[in-house]
Amino acid sequence: MGSAVQLRIRWRYGSYGVAYCSVLGLFPLLFAIEAGLHGSIIGVAAALLVLGLLGATAWRCRLVTVVGDENGLLIRNFGWTQRLQLDEIAGFRSGGSGWEWPGRAVRVLRKDGSTVVLVATGRYSSSERHEGQLAQLERWLRAPARRG
């Protein structure tokens, strides 16, 4: 049974990621055509593999989002998707680490002390939009309907 979505934050650069991968995809496409004209099956296969990886990256860029409902958060980052239940979430904080995610991003503070980066909120500098997303996440977590 589906839960009513109460919060949705999309990565604002998702469309740029698709455009970037599409432009980059022209190079392996041209390489595949050239390799095919010269009868190189390995060249065509390698170019199509690169083209497939770029397509998968573009697809994943469009999926980067954070969705909150009455049960918890669904976090779709580049490489993985994770669901955190409400009882696992202690709060949110702003900040980034060069080791985990470049620039600033909102992190979910888990009750076990670990954090999860929300790539959908990522920025390379502080902005009002970034602080607004942090406040939106805090309001979602503290909503009266969830207090029981």
Side-chain angles (χ1 to χ4, degrees):
M1 193 173 266
S3 300
V5 172
Q6 300 167 346
L7 169 81
R8 183 179 304 271
I9 299 174
R10 289 198 171 276
W11 190 44
R12 74 184 274 190
Y13 301 111
S15 298
Y16 297 123
V18 171
Y20 183 73
C21 289
S22 298
V23 170
L24 282 181
L26 292 175
F27 294 106
L29 181 62
L30 293 174
F31 184 83
I33 292 169
E34 188 66 26
L37 291 174
H38 291 294
S40 173
I41 295 173
I42 294 174
V44 171
L48 292 178
L49 176 67
V50 171
L51 197 57
L53 289 173
L54 285 170
T57 301
W59 173 72
R60 197 62 192 183
C61 283
R62 291 297 299 152
L63 292 181
V64 173
T65 188
V66 176
V67 179
D69 57 31
E70 65 262 5
N71 298 319
L73 278 181
L74 178 66
I75 303 163
R76 290 189 184 116
N77 286 344
F78 290 121
W80 49 267
T81 298
Q82 180 176 7
R83 177 165 264 300
L84 294 178
Q85 300 300 321
L86 278 172
D87 59 357
E88 297 177 73
I89 302 171
F92 302 93
R93 77 170 167 87
S94 179
S97 165
W99 296 104
E100 294 183 38
W101 174 251
R104 294 173 47 95
V106 174
R107 294 172 178 270
V108 178
L109 302 174
R110 299 179 70 177
K111 290 184 179 173
D112 67 3
S114 64
T115 64
V116 178
V117 175
L118 303 178
V119 174
T121 65
R123 303 276 180 284
Y124 286 101
S125 63
S126 181
S127 69
E128 288 179 19
R129 181 178 179 150
H130 187 256
E131 297 304 320
Q133 287 174 333
L134 180 61
Q136 182 183 12
L137 286 160
E138 287 290 348
R139 279 192 309 273
W140 169 82
L141 183 62
R142 310 285 181 241
R146 267 194 270 317
R147 291 193 193 124

